[in-house]
Amino acid sequence: MNPKEFQQKSELAKATFNAMALPTYENVSKFTTELVKTDIEYSQLSDRDKEILKLWKDIGHELFSSHNYDKVRLLYTQLDNLLMHR
């Protein structure tokens, strides 16, 4: 297991615990976001494509669930940098 896979599994475990301990809309949304990101990490896509898809999923969570617009700007900047530098 590489470090990215380990990090993704730990994020999923944390989100699972939070969703089970306190099932609020934001916690359940974070759990589903991390679940999809884990599927992306184990897919056969290139590393660049994986990062793009995971950032896109994070943007959706932050924009629609937690309404953390500062983090959305940061994530969008990271996504824009990945897309512009092929």
Side-chain angles (χ1 to χ4, degrees):
M1 178 179 345
N2 67 33
K4 286 184 179 182
E5 290 173 349
F6 181 78
Q7 179 185 6
Q8 186 57 46
K9 281 188 175 185
S10 66
E11 289 292 324
L12 178 61
K14 184 171 71 172
T16 303
F17 175 78
N18 288 339
M20 290 177 71
L22 184 64
T24 63
Y25 175 74
E26 187 174 342
N27 285 344
V28 173
S29 175
K30 184 66 174 173
F31 167 69
T32 58
T33 298
E34 293 302 326
L35 195 60
V36 170
K37 286 172 54 179
T38 301
D39 287 343
I40 291 168
E41 188 61 43
Y42 283 99
S43 70
Q44 298 297 321
L45 297 169
S46 68
D47 287 340
R48 181 178 174 272
D49 290 343
K50 288 178 185 179
E51 289 302 315
I52 289 170
L53 289 173
K54 289 191 294 185
L55 281 170
W56 185 254
K57 188 64 181 163
D58 280 337
I59 288 171
H61 169 73
E62 295 297 334
L63 189 62
F64 299 115
S65 296
S66 64
H67 305 287
N68 187 350
Y69 301 118
D70 292 331
K71 190 164 184 180
V72 170
R73 283 188 204 100
L74 176 68
L75 292 170
Y76 181 77
T77 302
Q78 291 173 357
L79 179 64
D80 189 45
N81 286 337
L82 273 174
L83 290 173
M84 294 304 287
H85 301 303
R86 294 187 136 228

